[in-house]
Amino acid sequence: MKTIANILWIIFGGLVLSAFWAVVGIVMCVTIVGIPFGTQCFKFANLMLFPFGREVVYGESTVSVFLNILWIAVFGLNLALWSLVIGALWCVTIVGIPVGLQVFKFAKLALMPFGARII
């Protein structure tokens, strides 16, 4: 079932979202300061390509806490809030609930990507 859901996800926008995050990651990696943020964008691209059947788990370290605070201030809060709104809109219909849950998964990663792993 997750294979069919992932194929439908790719057809209806997942490939475009994944490509967008990969391009943003490449642009961020152009500067030395942006490399840590660029690697997180590649993590988003990975999750956006095949979200069904995957989970975000956290492992904390001092560096990841500091970078997550910086990420929240610059990108994270805005990304997470918009993802929550879009996920809630998807969940209005019964058919959209699986997609809404995947968008909520992205919101979790968008808030604090440093120290997170996708399994």
Side-chain angles (χ1 to χ4, degrees), residues 56-109:
V56 178
V57 289
Y58 288 98
E60 294 296 325
S61 72
T62 307
V63 175
S64 66
V65 170
F66 171 72
L67 289 173
N68 277 329
I69 291 170
L70 186 62
W71 176 269
I72 289 170
V74 178
F75 304 110
L77 190 59
N78 194 17
L79 278 172
L81 289 176
W82 276 109
S83 296
L84 287 174
V85 169
I86 292 169
L89 289 174
W90 273 106
C91 288
V92 168
T93 64
I94 293 174
V95 176
I97 289 174
V99 175
L101 294 176
Q102 301 312 308
V103 175
F104 290 148
K105 189 185 305 181
F106 177 76
K108 180 181 176 182
L109 183 64

Side-chain angles (χ1 to χ4, degrees), residues 1-45:
M1 188 65 182
K2 69 179 179 180
T3 304
I4 294 170
N6 278 324
I7 291 170
L8 289 173
W9 178 271
I10 288 172
I11 291 171
F12 291 111
L15 186 62
V16 173
L17 287 171
S18 181
F20 169 76
W21 279 108
V23 168
V24 170
I26 291 169
V27 169
M28 293 283 252
C29 286
V30 169
T31 64
I32 292 174
V33 176
I35 290 174
F37 297 106
T39 57
Q40 300 313 307
C41 291
F42 294 136
K43 194 181 294 184
F44 291 138

